[in-house]
Amino acid sequence: EIDHLTRQSYEEDGEYLALVEDILDHPVFRSMEQYIQHGTTTCREHCIQVSYLAYRICKERGWDCRAAARGGLLHDLFLYDWHAPVRVRGHRFHGFTHPAVAARNAEAYFSITRRERTVILRHMWPLTPIPPSTMAGMAVVWADKVCGLRETGATVLAIIAAVFGRRPAF
């Protein structure tokens, strides 16, 4: 169960904030608020949720929580609307290509380590072929999937509620 890992807000966690405040305060990271990631969740909020969940997983287990926190925040720093038609965004296969775009952007705007770069590059595994090489990377992969499902699921439940007048019992 992940509930105990998501109960505390990242805004109340001074240790976490000390690791990532340079990213959270940066205008490029704040600009991610203009892009929707899943459902109604912005890319910025999605990255914060992934980062903080991966950080908590790693911290609880004695793994590299810094790489998880920073790599998690930057894992989707692709800076475009992936829902836009291909002719607008200029390329295909977002799921396969955005990790490299995010890694390039992270290196351009932030001081990241090689390990943080690898976390970003491999976060879409198993869609992309090379698996994470660290437990921090695996924590970001897992947190990304959990958060994405939660964000998408909330939208689906809202649609069902709007159509049928109530949320399903499952």
Side-chain angles (χ1 to χ4, degrees):
E1 174 160 329
I2 64 163
D3 188 50
H4 75 285
L5 294 173
T6 59
R7 204 172 291 138
Q8 180 181 5
S9 168
Y10 76 95
E11 295 168 324
E12 301 166 5
D13 191 329
E15 288 180 50
Y16 172 77
L17 291 174
L19 297 174
V20 299
E21 64 190 342
D22 63 312
I23 298 171
L24 290 173
D25 292 340
H26 197 282
V28 168
F29 184 77
R30 288 196 313 262
S31 78
M32 294 168 61
E33 191 68 32
Q34 68 184 302
Y35 306 114
I36 295 297
Q37 180 65 330
H38 304 117
T40 59
T41 304
T42 67
C43 196
R44 178 183 168 275
E45 187 59 33
H46 168 75
C47 287
I48 291 170
Q49 291 173 22
V50 169
S51 168
Y52 193 57
L53 179 56
Y55 164 82
R56 294 288 307 269
I57 291 167
C58 289
K59 184 174 167 110
E60 188 174 273
R61 288 162 179 78
W63 301 338
D64 187 350
C65 58
R66 182 182 196 278
R70 294 178 66 80
L73 270 184
L74 299 171
H75 80 280
D76 280 342
L77 189 72
F78 44 82
L79 304 175
Y80 59 82
D81 179 4
W82 71 269
H83 302 90
V86 171
R87 69 181 184 285
V88 173
R89 67 175 192 262
H91 64 278
R92 299 181 188 276
F93 311 115
H94 167 78
F96 296 96
T97 61
H98 81 270
V101 173
R104 280 194 304 273
N105 287 337
E107 288 178 314
Y109 293 105
F110 303 97
S111 176
I112 62 170
T113 66
R114 182 184 305 235
R115 182 173 284 190
E116 292 161 0
R117 182 178 188 278
T118 301
V119 166
I120 297 164
L121 281 172
R122 298 183 181 182
H123 82 272
M124 284 300 289
W125 184 78
L127 186 59
T128 52
I130 303 173
S133 56
T134 64
M135 294 312 291
M138 189 55 79
V140 170
V141 167
W142 189 82
D144 188 34
K145 305 309 181 253
V146 167
C147 292
L149 284 170
R150 188 176 5 183
E151 294 156 10
T152 304
T155 301
V156 170
L157 290 176
I159 291 167
I160 292 170
V163 171
F164 295 104
R166 62 183 175 83
R167 291 176 65 117
F170 54 88

